[in-house]
Amino acid sequence: MIGRPAIFMIGVAATLGVTAIYHGPMGKADKLTASIERAARAELDRQEMVQVDAKLERGPLRRTLVLAGPADDFQRDELPKIMIKTPGVEAVRWNPASLPVEPAR
C-alpha cells in the first residue's frame, strides 16, 4: 500500500510534468513566440504599419497572430493576407477592440 506522503509526491510530480508540457518543452514555446512576433514586427515595419502591433494568442498558445492598432478598411483586409505568410503563423485576425479608422482625404 502506498502512504500519503508518496501519493502527495506523485501528485506534485504529475502537476509539474503537466505544467512543463503545457508551457513547451524546455521553454521552446517562448522562443517560438518571440521568433514569430519578431518576424511579424519586421514585416509590419516594412509595410510602414508602425502603429499596428502583432502578438500570438496565448492561454493556450496558438499560432494565431492577433493584430491591433489603427488601420483603414483596405489595410484591415490586406494586412492579414500578408501576415499569414509569416513562418509559423497558421491564422491572422484583428483584435475586436481595434476599430477601423477612416483614411485621410
Side-chain angles (χ1 to χ4, degrees):
M1 185 151 93
I2 299 175
R4 287 185 182 202
I7 292 173
F8 176 76
M9 292 308 293
I10 291 170
V12 168
T15 301
L16 291 175
V18 169
T19 301
I21 291 169
Y22 180 79
H23 289 287
M26 305 300 210
K28 292 194 186 224
D30 289 337
K31 291 177 186 174
L32 174 68
T33 299
S35 172
I36 292 173
E37 288 179 353
R38 195 170 31 255
R41 176 78 263 153
E43 183 60 38
L44 288 169
D45 290 345
R46 275 193 292 282
Q47 298 295 328
E48 298 181 1
M49 299 291 295
V50 295
Q51 293 181 330
V52 174
D53 194 25
K55 299 287 182 193
L56 280 182
E57 277 189 351
R58 290 182 173 89
L61 178 63
R62 295 188 179 125
R63 292 185 180 196
T64 300
L65 198 60
V66 181
L67 303 174
D72 62 33
D73 288 337
F74 176 77
Q75 293 165 329
R76 291 177 70 82
D77 287 340
E78 294 302 315
L79 200 54
K81 295 174 188 173
I82 294 168
M83 300 306 290
I84 193 70
K85 296 175 186 174
T86 305
V89 173
E90 291 181 356
V92 180
R93 68 175 181 83
W94 281 93
N95 183 327
S98 183
L99 301 175
V101 297
E102 292 295 320
R105 295 182 191 237

